[in-house]
Amino acid sequence: MSSTQGEHIVSAYNDELTNLAQQIAEMGGQVEVAIENGTRALLRLDRELADVTVLADKRIDDMQRHIDEMAVSMIARRQPMASDLRAIVTAIHVASDLERVGDMAKQLARRSLKIEGLNLQPQFYNGVKNMTNRVQSQLKDALDAYANRNAAAAIEVCNRDDEVDAMYTSLFRELLTYMMEDPRNITACTHMLFCAKSLERIGDHATNIAERAYYLETGRQLSDDVQELHRAQLKA
Amino acid sequence: MSSTQGEHIVSAYNDELTNLAQQIAEMGGQVEVAIENGTRALLRLDRELADVTVLADKRIDDMQRHIDEMAVSMIARRQPMASDLRAIVTAIHVASDLERVGDMAKQLARRSLKIEGLNLQPQFYNGVKNMTNRVQSQLKDALDAYANRNAAAAIEVCNRDDEVDAMYTSLFRELLTYMMEDPRNITACTHMLFCAKSLERIGDHATNIAERAYYLETGRQLSDDVQELHRAQLKA
Protein backbone atom coordinates (compact mmCIF):
# COMPACT_ATOMS: atom_id res chain seq x y z
CA MET A 1 0.00 0.00 0.00
CA SER A 2 1.42 3.43 -0.92
CA SER A 3 1.69 6.01 1.80
CA THR A 4 -0.91 8.27 0.12
CA GLN A 5 -3.33 5.39 -0.11
CA GLY A 6 -2.72 4.57 3.56
CA GLU A 7 -3.36 8.18 4.57
CA HIS A 8 -6.48 8.20 2.46
CA ILE A 9 -7.85 5.18 4.32
CA VAL A 10 -6.97 6.61 7.74
CA SER A 11 -8.65 9.88 6.86
CA ALA A 12 -11.82 8.10 5.64
CA TYR A 13 -11.84 6.21 8.91
CA ASN A 14 -11.49 9.40 10.95
CA ASP A 15 -14.34 10.88 8.95
CA GLU A 16 -16.47 7.91 9.95
CA LEU A 17 -15.59 8.34 13.63
CA THR A 18 -16.42 12.04 13.44
CA ASN A 19 -19.66 11.26 11.66
CA LEU A 20 -20.62 8.79 14.39
CA ALA A 21 -19.96 11.43 17.05
CA GLN A 22 -22.06 13.94 15.10
CA GLN A 23 -24.95 11.49 14.84
CA ILE A 24 -24.90 11.01 18.61
CA ALA A 25 -24.80 14.78 19.15
CA GLU A 26 -27.76 15.21 16.80
CA MET A 27 -29.71 12.42 18.51
CA GLY A 28 -28.93 14.03 21.87
CA GLY A 29 -30.31 17.32 20.57
CA GLN A 30 -33.53 15.65 19.41
CA VAL A 31 -33.93 13.93 22.77
CA GLU A 32 -33.45 17.22 24.64
CA VAL A 33 -36.23 18.76 22.52
CA ALA A 34 -38.42 15.71 23.22
CA ILE A 35 -38.07 16.16 27.00
CA GLU A 36 -38.89 19.84 26.64
CA ASN A 37 -41.97 19.11 24.51
CA GLY A 38 -43.08 16.09 26.56
CA THR A 39 -43.09 18.06 29.80
CA ARG A 40 -44.68 21.09 28.17
CA ALA A 41 -47.43 18.88 26.74
CA LEU A 42 -47.97 17.52 30.22
CA LEU A 43 -48.00 20.81 32.08
CA ARG A 44 -50.22 22.59 29.53
CA LEU A 45 -52.38 19.58 28.62
CA ASP A 46 -51.40 20.28 25.04
CA ARG A 47 -52.69 17.40 22.88
CA GLU A 48 -51.01 18.61 19.73
CA LEU A 49 -47.61 18.83 21.36
CA ALA A 50 -48.19 15.40 22.88
CA ASP A 51 -48.72 14.00 19.37
CA VAL A 52 -45.60 15.77 18.12
CA THR A 53 -43.56 14.19 20.93
CA VAL A 54 -44.92 10.71 20.24
CA LEU A 55 -44.05 11.07 16.56
CA ALA A 56 -40.59 12.42 17.37
CA ASP A 57 -39.93 9.26 19.38
CA LYS A 58 -40.24 7.19 16.21
CA ARG A 59 -37.53 9.32 14.60
CA ILE A 60 -35.35 8.93 17.68
CA ASP A 61 -35.79 5.14 17.48
CA ASP A 62 -34.75 5.27 13.82
CA MET A 63 -31.68 7.31 14.72
CA GLN A 64 -30.67 4.68 17.25
CA ARG A 65 -31.03 1.91 14.69
CA HIS A 66 -28.96 3.94 12.24
CA ILE A 67 -26.16 4.59 14.77
CA ASP A 68 -26.20 0.89 15.67
CA GLU A 69 -25.77 -0.12 12.05
CA MET A 70 -23.03 2.44 11.45
CA ALA A 71 -21.12 1.30 14.52
CA VAL A 72 -21.41 -2.40 13.74
CA SER A 73 -20.38 -1.88 10.14
CA MET A 74 -17.35 0.14 11.28
CA ILE A 75 -16.27 -2.61 13.67
CA ALA A 76 -16.70 -5.25 10.97
CA ARG A 77 -14.89 -3.32 8.23
CA ARG A 78 -12.18 -1.51 10.15
CA GLN A 79 -11.32 -3.98 12.91
CA PRO A 80 -10.44 -1.03 15.11
CA MET A 81 -7.79 -1.18 17.80
CA ALA A 82 -8.52 -0.78 21.52
CA SER A 83 -9.20 2.96 21.89
CA ASP A 84 -11.24 3.32 18.69
CA LEU A 85 -13.17 0.16 19.48
CA ARG A 86 -13.98 1.65 22.86
CA ALA A 87 -15.28 4.83 21.20
CA ILE A 88 -17.49 2.89 18.80
CA VAL A 89 -18.93 0.57 21.44
CA THR A 90 -19.56 3.56 23.71
CA ALA A 91 -21.53 5.18 20.89
CA ILE A 92 -23.80 2.11 20.75
CA HIS A 93 -24.46 2.37 24.48
CA VAL A 94 -25.00 6.12 24.54
CA ALA A 95 -27.48 5.82 21.67
CA SER A 96 -29.30 3.12 23.63
CA ASP A 97 -29.53 5.40 26.69
CA LEU A 98 -30.79 8.27 24.54
CA GLU A 99 -33.41 6.03 22.98
CA ARG A 100 -34.73 5.19 26.48
CA VAL A 101 -34.81 8.88 27.38
CA GLY A 102 -36.88 9.42 24.23
CA ASP A 103 -39.29 6.77 25.55
CA MET A 104 -39.57 8.62 28.85
CA ALA A 105 -40.36 11.88 27.01
CA LYS A 106 -43.07 10.04 25.09
CA GLN A 107 -44.50 8.69 28.32
CA LEU A 108 -44.60 12.19 29.82
CA ALA A 109 -46.42 13.44 26.73
CA ARG A 110 -48.91 10.57 26.74
CA ARG A 111 -49.73 11.12 30.37
CA SER A 112 -51.08 14.57 29.46
CA LEU A 113 -53.93 12.76 27.71
CA LYS A 114 -54.69 10.74 30.84
CA ILE A 115 -54.82 13.64 33.25
CA GLU A 116 -57.12 15.84 31.19
CA GLY A 117 -60.29 16.56 33.13
CA LEU A 118 -58.80 15.48 36.47
CA ASN A 119 -58.66 17.61 39.57
CA LEU A 120 -55.33 19.32 38.84
CA GLN A 121 -53.79 21.95 41.05
CA PRO A 122 -50.75 24.09 40.33
CA GLN A 123 -48.82 22.76 43.34
CA PHE A 124 -49.00 19.23 41.89
CA TYR A 125 -46.97 20.52 38.98
CA ASN A 126 -44.29 22.59 40.63
CA GLY A 127 -42.09 19.74 41.72
CA VAL A 128 -42.34 18.08 38.32
CA LYS A 129 -41.38 21.37 36.66
CA ASN A 130 -38.32 21.78 38.90
CA MET A 131 -37.25 18.20 38.37
CA THR A 132 -37.57 18.61 34.61
CA ASN A 133 -35.23 21.59 34.65
CA ARG A 134 -32.75 19.66 36.73
CA VAL A 135 -32.67 16.49 34.62
CA GLN A 136 -32.52 18.54 31.42
CA SER A 137 -29.34 20.20 32.58
CA GLN A 138 -27.99 16.83 33.79
CA LEU A 139 -28.53 15.32 30.36
CA LYS A 140 -27.04 18.34 28.60
CA ASP A 141 -23.95 18.27 30.80
CA ALA A 142 -23.55 14.50 30.35
CA LEU A 143 -23.71 14.86 26.56
CA ASP A 144 -21.20 17.72 26.70
CA ALA A 145 -18.84 15.64 28.87
CA TYR A 146 -19.20 12.86 26.31
CA ALA A 147 -18.65 15.09 23.28
CA ASN A 148 -15.63 16.81 24.85
CA ARG A 149 -14.28 13.68 26.55
CA ASN A 150 -14.13 15.59 29.78
CA ALA A 151 -13.70 13.16 32.71
CA ALA A 152 -13.94 15.87 35.39
CA ALA A 153 -17.25 17.12 33.97
CA ALA A 154 -18.49 13.53 33.86
CA ILE A 155 -17.75 13.09 37.58
CA GLU A 156 -19.67 16.33 38.26
CA VAL A 157 -22.77 14.93 36.55
CA CYS A 158 -22.58 11.66 38.48
CA ASN A 159 -22.18 13.48 41.79
CA ARG A 160 -25.25 15.59 41.12
CA ASP A 161 -27.42 12.51 40.53
CA ASP A 162 -27.91 12.23 44.30
CA GLU A 163 -29.59 15.64 44.22
CA VAL A 164 -32.00 14.45 41.54
CA ASP A 165 -32.79 11.39 43.65
CA ALA A 166 -33.37 13.62 46.69
CA MET A 167 -35.72 15.83 44.65
CA TYR A 168 -37.61 12.72 43.61
CA THR A 169 -37.93 11.42 47.17
CA SER A 170 -39.14 14.77 48.44
CA LEU A 171 -41.62 15.11 45.56
CA PHE A 172 -42.85 11.58 46.23
CA ARG A 173 -43.62 12.52 49.86
CA GLU A 174 -45.22 15.81 48.88
CA LEU A 175 -47.56 14.15 46.40
CA LEU A 176 -48.52 11.50 48.97
CA THR A 177 -49.46 14.32 51.33
CA TYR A 178 -51.83 15.88 48.78
CA MET A 179 -53.38 12.47 48.26
CA MET A 180 -53.96 11.98 51.96
CA GLU A 181 -55.40 15.46 52.36
CA ASP A 182 -58.13 14.86 49.83
CA PRO A 183 -59.04 11.60 48.04
CA ARG A 184 -60.07 13.63 44.98
CA ASN A 185 -56.37 14.40 44.48
CA ILE A 186 -55.39 10.74 44.32
CA THR A 187 -55.71 10.03 40.60
CA ALA A 188 -53.99 13.22 39.42
CA CYS A 189 -51.19 12.91 41.96
CA THR A 190 -50.63 9.26 41.08
CA HIS A 191 -50.04 10.30 37.47
CA MET A 192 -47.66 13.01 38.69
CA LEU A 193 -45.80 10.36 40.72
CA PHE A 194 -45.19 8.39 37.55
CA CYS A 195 -43.99 11.53 35.78
CA ALA A 196 -41.57 12.15 38.62
CA LYS A 197 -40.37 8.56 38.27
CA SER A 198 -39.83 9.02 34.52
CA LEU A 199 -37.78 12.15 35.22
CA GLU A 200 -35.73 10.35 37.84
CA ARG A 201 -34.98 7.68 35.27
CA ILE A 202 -33.90 10.32 32.75
CA GLY A 203 -31.45 11.43 35.44
CA ASP A 204 -30.20 7.83 35.70
CA HIS A 205 -29.63 7.68 31.95
CA ALA A 206 -27.72 10.98 32.12
CA THR A 207 -25.53 9.37 34.78
CA ASN A 208 -25.01 6.32 32.55
CA ILE A 209 -23.87 8.59 29.72
CA ALA A 210 -21.51 10.47 32.04
CA GLU A 211 -20.07 7.16 33.26
CA ARG A 212 -19.51 6.12 29.66
CA ALA A 213 -17.79 9.45 28.96
CA TYR A 214 -15.50 8.86 31.93
CA TYR A 215 -14.67 5.35 30.73
CA LEU A 216 -14.03 6.62 27.21
CA GLU A 217 -11.54 9.18 28.44
CA THR A 218 -9.81 7.18 31.18
CA GLY A 219 -10.34 3.52 30.23
CA ARG A 220 -11.49 2.89 33.81
CA GLN A 221 -14.94 2.37 35.36
CA LEU A 222 -15.94 5.42 37.37
CA SER A 223 -17.54 3.24 40.07
CA ASP A 224 -14.22 1.39 40.60
CA ASP A 225 -12.30 4.66 40.89
CA VAL A 226 -14.82 6.12 43.33
CA GLN A 227 -14.56 3.02 45.55
CA GLU A 228 -10.78 3.23 45.48
CA LEU A 229 -10.84 6.90 46.40
CA HIS A 230 -13.22 6.10 49.22
CA ARG A 231 -10.91 3.38 50.55
CA ALA A 232 -7.94 5.74 50.33
CA GLN A 233 -9.85 8.39 52.28
CA LEU A 234 -10.77 5.86 54.98
CA LYS A 235 -7.10 4.92 55.38
CA ALA A 236 -5.91 8.54 55.51
CA MET B 1 -5.05 -22.18 3.59
CA SER B 2 -5.50 -25.98 3.64
CA SER B 3 -9.03 -27.34 3.74
CA THR B 4 -8.48 -28.82 7.23
CA GLN B 5 -7.23 -25.49 8.49
CA GLY B 6 -10.26 -23.75 6.96
CA GLU B 7 -12.63 -26.22 8.59
CA HIS B 8 -10.84 -25.74 11.87
CA ILE B 9 -11.42 -21.98 11.75
CA VAL B 10 -15.08 -22.39 10.78
CA SER B 11 -15.63 -24.82 13.62
CA ALA B 12 -13.93 -22.50 16.15
CA TYR B 13 -16.20 -19.74 14.90
CA ASN B 14 -19.32 -21.89 15.30
CA ASP B 15 -18.16 -22.75 18.81
CA GLU B 16 -18.01 -19.03 19.57
CA LEU B 17 -21.52 -18.48 18.22
CA THR B 18 -22.82 -21.41 20.30
CA ASN B 19 -21.00 -20.10 23.34
CA LEU B 20 -22.60 -16.66 22.86
CA ALA B 21 -26.06 -18.27 22.68
CA GLN B 22 -25.31 -20.26 25.83
CA GLN B 23 -24.24 -17.14 27.70
CA ILE B 24 -27.51 -15.46 26.80
CA ALA B 25 -29.47 -18.54 27.91
CA GLU B 26 -27.61 -18.56 31.21
CA MET B 27 -28.15 -14.84 31.73
CA GLY B 28 -31.85 -15.37 30.95
CA GLY B 29 -31.98 -18.09 33.60
CA GLN B 30 -30.39 -15.81 36.21
CA VAL B 31 -32.83 -13.04 35.37
CA GLU B 32 -35.80 -15.39 35.71
CA VAL B 33 -34.57 -16.36 39.17
CA ALA B 34 -34.10 -12.66 40.03
CA ILE B 35 -37.74 -11.88 39.17
CA GLU B 36 -38.87 -14.84 41.26
CA ASN B 37 -36.74 -13.74 44.23
CA GLY B 38 -37.50 -10.04 43.84
CA THR B 39 -41.25 -10.61 43.95
CA ARG B 40 -40.99 -13.14 46.74
CA ALA B 41 -38.90 -10.69 48.79
CA LEU B 42 -41.59 -8.10 48.18
CA LEU B 43 -44.59 -10.26 49.00
CA ARG B 44 -43.03 -11.81 52.10
CA LEU B 45 -41.10 -8.72 53.23
CA ASP B 46 -38.04 -10.94 53.22
CA ARG B 47 -34.99 -8.73 53.84
CA GLU B 48 -32.49 -11.50 53.27
CA LEU B 49 -33.95 -12.45 49.91
CA ALA B 50 -34.03 -8.75 48.99
CA ASP B 51 -30.29 -8.56 49.65
CA VAL B 52 -29.72 -11.72 47.60
CA THR B 53 -31.60 -10.17 44.67
CA VAL B 54 -29.68 -6.90 44.85
CA LEU B 55 -26.39 -8.84 44.84
CA ALA B 56 -27.53 -11.03 41.97
CA ASP B 57 -28.13 -7.89 39.92
CA LYS B 58 -24.42 -7.10 40.07
CA ARG B 59 -23.67 -10.53 38.60
CA ILE B 60 -26.27 -9.96 35.89
CA ASP B 61 -24.62 -6.62 35.03
CA ASP B 62 -21.26 -8.40 34.78
CA MET B 63 -22.76 -11.01 32.48
CA GLN B 64 -24.02 -8.28 30.19
CA ARG B 65 -20.61 -6.66 30.04
CA HIS B 66 -19.06 -10.03 29.27
CA ILE B 67 -21.54 -10.79 26.47
CA ASP B 68 -20.94 -7.31 25.06
CA GLU B 69 -17.19 -7.86 24.98
CA MET B 70 -17.52 -11.31 23.45
CA ALA B 71 -19.84 -10.01 20.73
CA VAL B 72 -17.69 -7.01 19.87
CA SER B 73 -14.53 -9.08 19.76
CA MET B 74 -16.26 -11.58 17.45
CA ILE B 75 -17.35 -8.83 15.07
CA ALA B 76 -13.84 -7.33 15.05
CA ARG B 77 -12.01 -10.62 14.56
CA ARG B 78 -14.38 -12.56 12.33
CA GLN B 79 -15.93 -9.81 10.19
CA PRO B 80 -19.07 -11.93 9.99
CA MET B 81 -21.39 -11.92 7.00
CA ALA B 82 -24.99 -10.71 7.13
CA SER B 83 -26.82 -13.50 8.97
CA ASP B 84 -24.09 -14.12 11.55
CA LEU B 85 -23.66 -10.40 12.11
CA ARG B 86 -27.39 -10.20 12.75
CA ALA B 87 -27.13 -12.99 15.34
CA ILE B 88 -24.25 -11.30 17.15
CA VAL B 89 -25.84 -7.85 17.21
CA THR B 90 -29.11 -9.38 18.39
CA ALA B 91 -27.22 -10.98 21.28
CA ILE B 92 -25.98 -7.52 22.34
CA HIS B 93 -29.55 -6.20 22.36
CA VAL B 94 -31.09 -9.19 24.12
CA ALA B 95 -28.41 -8.96 26.84
CA SER B 96 -29.25 -5.27 27.23
CA ASP B 97 -32.97 -6.07 27.67
CA LEU B 98 -32.14 -8.79 30.20
CA GLU B 99 -29.94 -6.40 32.14
CA ARG B 100 -32.88 -3.97 32.43
CA VAL B 101 -35.14 -6.78 33.60
CA GLY B 102 -32.53 -7.53 36.28
CA ASP B 103 -32.80 -3.88 37.35
CA MET B 104 -36.58 -4.21 37.63
CA ALA B 105 -36.17 -7.32 39.81
CA LYS B 106 -33.79 -5.38 42.04
CA GLN B 107 -36.30 -2.55 42.30
CA LEU B 108 -39.05 -4.99 43.32
CA ALA B 109 -36.75 -6.43 45.99
CA ARG B 110 -35.73 -3.00 47.28
CA ARG B 111 -39.32 -1.92 47.58
CA SER B 112 -39.87 -4.65 50.17
CA LEU B 113 -37.65 -2.60 52.50
CA LYS B 114 -39.77 0.50 51.94
CA ILE B 115 -43.13 -1.10 52.62
CA GLU B 116 -42.17 -2.80 55.87
CA GLY B 117 -44.37 -1.54 58.67
CA LEU B 118 -46.95 -0.03 56.32
CA ASN B 119 -50.64 -0.86 56.38
CA LEU B 120 -50.52 -3.84 54.02
CA GLN B 121 -53.52 -5.92 53.11
CA PRO B 122 -53.58 -9.17 51.15
CA GLN B 123 -55.74 -7.74 48.38
CA PHE B 124 -53.05 -5.14 47.60
CA TYR B 125 -50.80 -8.03 46.69
CA ASN B 126 -53.03 -10.28 44.63
CA GLY B 127 -52.84 -8.31 41.43
CA VAL B 128 -49.07 -7.97 41.69
CA LYS B 129 -48.78 -11.71 42.24
CA ASN B 130 -50.89 -12.48 39.17
CA MET B 131 -48.97 -10.01 37.05
CA THR B 132 -45.68 -11.54 38.17
CA ASN B 133 -46.80 -14.99 37.02
CA ARG B 134 -47.85 -13.57 33.70
CA VAL B 135 -44.68 -11.62 32.91
CA GLN B 136 -42.52 -14.53 34.07
CA SER B 137 -44.12 -16.78 31.49
CA GLN B 138 -43.87 -14.00 28.88
CA LEU B 139 -40.14 -13.69 29.47
CA LYS B 140 -39.63 -17.44 29.47
CA ASP B 141 -41.53 -17.83 26.19
CA ALA B 142 -39.62 -14.93 24.62
CA LEU B 143 -36.29 -16.47 25.57
CA ASP B 144 -37.43 -19.84 24.21
CA ALA B 145 -38.52 -18.22 20.93
CA TYR B 146 -35.10 -16.57 20.76
CA ALA B 147 -33.15 -19.75 21.58
CA ASN B 148 -35.16 -21.86 19.11
CA ARG B 149 -35.45 -19.10 16.47
CA ASN B 150 -39.17 -19.69 16.40
CA ALA B 151 -40.90 -16.77 14.64
CA ALA B 152 -44.43 -18.08 15.31
CA ALA B 153 -43.74 -18.35 19.04
CA ALA B 154 -42.28 -14.83 18.97
CA ILE B 155 -45.53 -13.47 17.45
CA GLU B 156 -47.49 -15.25 20.22
CA VAL B 157 -45.48 -13.45 22.91
CA CYS B 158 -45.99 -10.05 21.25
CA ASN B 159 -49.72 -10.64 20.91
CA ARG B 160 -50.04 -11.48 24.59
CA ASP B 161 -48.39 -8.20 25.64
CA ASP B 162 -51.77 -6.48 25.30
CA GLU B 163 -53.07 -8.77 28.04
CA VAL B 164 -50.23 -7.74 30.34
CA ASP B 165 -51.03 -4.09 29.64
CA ALA B 166 -54.70 -4.75 30.38
CA MET B 167 -53.77 -6.42 33.69
CA TYR B 168 -51.68 -3.40 34.55
CA THR B 169 -54.46 -0.94 33.76
CA SER B 170 -56.98 -2.90 35.79
CA LEU B 171 -54.55 -3.22 38.71
CA PHE B 172 -53.84 0.51 38.52
CA ARG B 173 -57.58 1.26 38.89
CA GLU B 174 -58.01 -1.29 41.66
CA LEU B 175 -55.18 0.19 43.71
CA LEU B 176 -56.56 3.71 43.22
CA THR B 177 -59.86 2.46 44.63
CA TYR B 178 -58.19 1.18 47.81
CA MET B 179 -56.44 4.52 48.16
CA MET B 180 -59.68 6.43 47.85
CA GLU B 181 -61.45 4.15 50.32
CA ASP B 182 -58.98 4.84 53.08
CA PRO B 183 -56.10 7.38 53.12
CA ARG B 184 -54.11 4.98 55.30
CA ASN B 185 -53.82 2.73 52.26
CA ILE B 186 -52.22 5.41 50.11
CA THR B 187 -48.53 4.86 50.85
CA ALA B 188 -48.63 1.07 50.58
CA CYS B 189 -50.74 1.13 47.44
CA THR B 190 -48.48 3.72 45.82
CA HIS B 191 -45.55 1.37 46.28
CA MET B 192 -47.63 -1.45 44.80
CA LEU B 193 -48.40 0.79 41.81
CA PHE B 194 -44.70 1.15 41.15
CA CYS B 195 -44.25 -2.61 41.46
CA ALA B 196 -47.01 -3.10 38.91
CA LYS B 197 -45.25 -0.61 36.63
CA SER B 198 -41.95 -2.50 36.97
CA LEU B 199 -43.74 -5.72 36.04
CA GLU B 200 -45.38 -4.08 33.05
CA ARG B 201 -41.94 -2.97 31.91
CA ILE B 202 -40.61 -6.51 32.27
CA GLY B 203 -43.44 -7.47 29.90
CA ASP B 204 -42.22 -4.79 27.47
CA HIS B 205 -38.68 -6.18 27.58
CA ALA B 206 -40.06 -9.69 26.93
CA THR B 207 -41.80 -8.22 23.86
CA ASN B 208 -38.53 -6.59 22.74
CA ILE B 209 -36.77 -9.95 23.00
CA ALA B 210 -39.55 -11.67 21.05
CA GLU B 211 -39.33 -8.97 18.35
CA ARG B 212 -35.58 -9.53 18.14
CA ALA B 213 -36.17 -13.30 17.83
CA TYR B 214 -38.58 -12.65 14.96
CA TYR B 215 -36.08 -10.38 13.20
CA LEU B 216 -33.31 -12.92 13.71
CA GLU B 217 -35.35 -15.67 12.07
CA THR B 218 -37.02 -13.68 9.29
CA GLY B 219 -34.75 -10.67 8.70
CA ARG B 220 -37.85 -8.47 8.88
CA GLN B 221 -39.21 -6.16 11.59
CA LEU B 222 -42.29 -7.69 13.20
CA SER B 223 -44.00 -4.30 13.43
CA ASP B 224 -43.64 -3.80 9.64
CA ASP B 225 -45.09 -7.24 8.94
CA VAL B 226 -48.00 -6.68 11.30
CA GLN B 227 -48.84 -3.38 9.59
CA GLU B 228 -48.69 -5.03 6.19
CA LEU B 229 -50.96 -7.85 7.33
CA HIS B 230 -53.35 -5.30 8.71
CA ARG B 231 -53.44 -3.39 5.41
CA ALA B 232 -54.01 -6.66 3.51
CA GLN B 233 -56.92 -7.50 5.81
CA LEU B 234 -58.46 -4.06 5.30
CA LYS B 235 -58.30 -4.53 1.51
CA ALA B 236 -59.79 -8.05 1.64
Side-chain angles (χ1 to χ4, degrees):
Chain A
M1 196 194 297
S2 76
S3 152
T4 337
Q5 203 184 353
E7 278 165 24
H8 181 69
I9 289 177
V10 168
S11 137
Y13 182 30
N14 282 337
D15 285 352
E16 280 190 71
L17 280 172
T18 311
N19 187 11
L20 190 63
Q22 273 166 352
Q23 299 278 334
I24 294 273
E26 200 176 309
M27 189 179 173
Q30 299 262 350
V31 168
E32 286 178 28
V33 171
I35 301 175
E36 184 70 34
N37 287 344
T39 323
R40 201 175 289 177
L42 176 78
L43 301 181
R44 299 185 185 172
L45 298 179
D46 184 334
R47 260 174 188 275
E48 216 166 301
L49 200 54
D51 289 342
V52 167
T53 315
V54 171
L55 266 179
D57 187 52
K58 278 207 191 311
R59 272 203 312 283
I60 291 170
D61 288 353
D62 287 342
M63 290 178 97
Q64 191 213 354
R65 253 194 296 272
H66 180 66
I67 289 169
D68 245 36
E69 280 163 14
M70 261 178 78
V72 168
S73 137
M74 282 177 76
I75 297 172
R77 282 180 297 110
R78 307 286 192 181
Q79 296 177 270
M81 298 308 290
S83 83
D84 285 343
L85 186 57
R86 205 195 291 156
I88 299 172
V89 173
T90 302
I92 295 179
H93 287 297
V94 171
S96 164
D97 274 306
L98 287 175
E99 188 265 330
R100 310 266 172 175
V101 175
D103 279 348
M104 300 294 112
K106 182 174 72 176
Q107 283 178 23
L108 288 168
R110 279 206 178 137
R111 217 164 271 279
S112 69
L113 308 178
K114 292 181 185 162
I115 59 175
E116 256 185 353
L118 292 178
N119 175 37
L120 286 163
Q121 286 165 35
Q123 74 263 35
F124 300 171
Y125 281 143
N126 288 336
V128 169
K129 219 186 280 180
N130 292 339
M131 251 189 104
T132 303
N133 295 339
R134 177 58 69 97
V135 299
Q136 274 178 321
S137 80
Q138 283 283 88
L139 183 66
K140 200 190 160 305
D141 293 347
L143 286 168
D144 284 349
Y146 171 71
N148 305 323
R149 301 201 171 198
N150 185 337
I155 295 176
E156 269 288 298
V157 174
C158 294
N159 286 341
R160 284 202 313 260
D161 189 48
D162 285 347
E163 293 170 35
V164 175
D165 289 348
M167 279 179 103
Y168 169 69
T169 306
S170 128
L171 186 52
F172 186 94
R173 294 209 182 115
E174 188 186 333
L175 288 165
L176 281 192
T177 315
Y178 298 139
M179 289 155 89
M180 287 173 190
E181 273 169 14
D182 186 344
R184 284 169 300 176
N185 295 340
I186 288 177
T187 309
C189 287
T190 302
H191 283 298
M192 285 298 129
L193 273 175
F194 278 110
C195 293
K197 185 75 191 165
S198 294
L199 291 166
E200 190 235 295
R201 285 179 55 213
I202 293 177
D204 285 345
H205 288 295
T207 305
N208 287 351
I209 293 171
E211 282 175 353
R212 302 267 178 209
Y214 184 88
Y215 173 70
L216 192 57
E217 185 53 20
T218 66
R220 296 188 307 273
Q221 300 288 345
L222 180 55
S223 52
D224 293 345
D225 283 4
V226 167
Q227 274 171 14
E228 210 160 287
L229 188 69
H230 189 63
R231 271 196 297 271
Q233 283 170 339
L234 283 180
K235 274 187 199 160
Chain B
M1 195 194 298
S2 76
S3 150
T4 339
Q5 206 185 351
E7 279 164 23
H8 180 69
I9 289 176
V10 169
S11 135
Y13 182 31
N14 282 336
D15 285 353
E16 279 190 71
L17 280 172
T18 310
N19 186 11
L20 190 63
Q22 273 167 353
Q23 299 278 333
I24 294 273
E26 199 177 312
M27 189 179 174
Q30 300 261 350
V31 167
E32 287 178 28
V33 171
I35 302 175
E36 184 70 34
N37 286 345
T39 322
R40 202 175 287 177
L42 176 78
L43 300 181
R44 299 185 184 169
L45 298 178
D46 184 333
R47 261 174 186 275
E48 215 165 304
L49 200 54
D51 290 342
V52 167
T53 314
V54 171
L55 266 180
D57 187 52
K58 278 208 192 309
R59 272 202 312 282
I60 291 169
D61 287 354
D62 288 342
M63 289 178 97
Q64 191 214 353
R65 254 194 296 272
H66 179 65
I67 288 168
D68 246 33
E69 281 163 15
M70 261 178 77
V72 168
S73 136
M74 281 177 76
I75 297 172
R77 283 181 296 112
R78 306 285 191 182
Q79 296 177 271
M81 299 308 290
S83 82
D84 285 342
L85 186 57
R86 204 195 292 157
I88 298 171
V89 173
T90 302
I92 295 179
H93 287 296
V94 171
S96 165
D97 274 301
L98 287 175
E99 188 266 329
R100 310 266 171 173
V101 176
D103 279 349
M104 300 294 112
K106 181 174 73 176
Q107 283 178 22
L108 288 168
R110 279 205 177 137
R111 217 163 271 280
S112 69
L113 309 178
K114 292 181 185 162
I115 59 175
E116 256 185 355
L118 291 178
N119 174 37
L120 285 164
Q121 286 165 36
Q123 74 263 35
F124 300 171
Y125 280 143
N126 288 337
V128 168
K129 219 187 280 181
N130 292 338
M131 252 189 104
T132 303
N133 294 339
R134 177 58 68 96
V135 299
Q136 275 178 322
S137 80
Q138 283 284 87
L139 183 65
K140 199 190 161 305
D141 292 348
L143 286 167
D144 285 349
Y146 171 71
N148 305 323
R149 303 202 168 196
N150 185 336
I155 296 176
E156 269 289 297
V157 173
C158 294
N159 286 341
R160 284 202 312 261
D161 190 48
D162 285 347
E163 294 169 35
V164 175
D165 289 348
M167 279 178 102
Y168 169 69
T169 307
S170 128
L171 185 53
F172 185 94
R173 294 207 182 121
E174 188 185 333
L175 287 166
L176 282 192
T177 313
Y178 299 138
M179 290 155 88
M180 287 173 191
E181 273 170 13
D182 186 345
R184 283 169 301 176
N185 295 339
I186 288 177
T187 310
C189 287
T190 302
H191 284 298
M192 285 299 129
L193 273 176
F194 278 110
C195 293
K197 186 74 191 166
S198 293
L199 290 166
E200 190 235 300
R201 286 178 55 213
I202 293 177
D204 285 344
H205 288 295
T207 305
N208 287 351
I209 293 172
E211 283 175 352
R212 301 267 179 209
Y214 183 88
Y215 173 71
L216 191 57
E217 185 52 20
T218 65
R220 296 189 307 274
Q221 300 287 346
L222 181 54
S223 52
D224 294 345
D225 283 4
V226 167
Q227 273 170 13
E228 209 159 287
L229 187 70
H230 190 61
R231 271 195 297 272
Q233 282 170 340
L234 284 180
K235 273 188 201 161

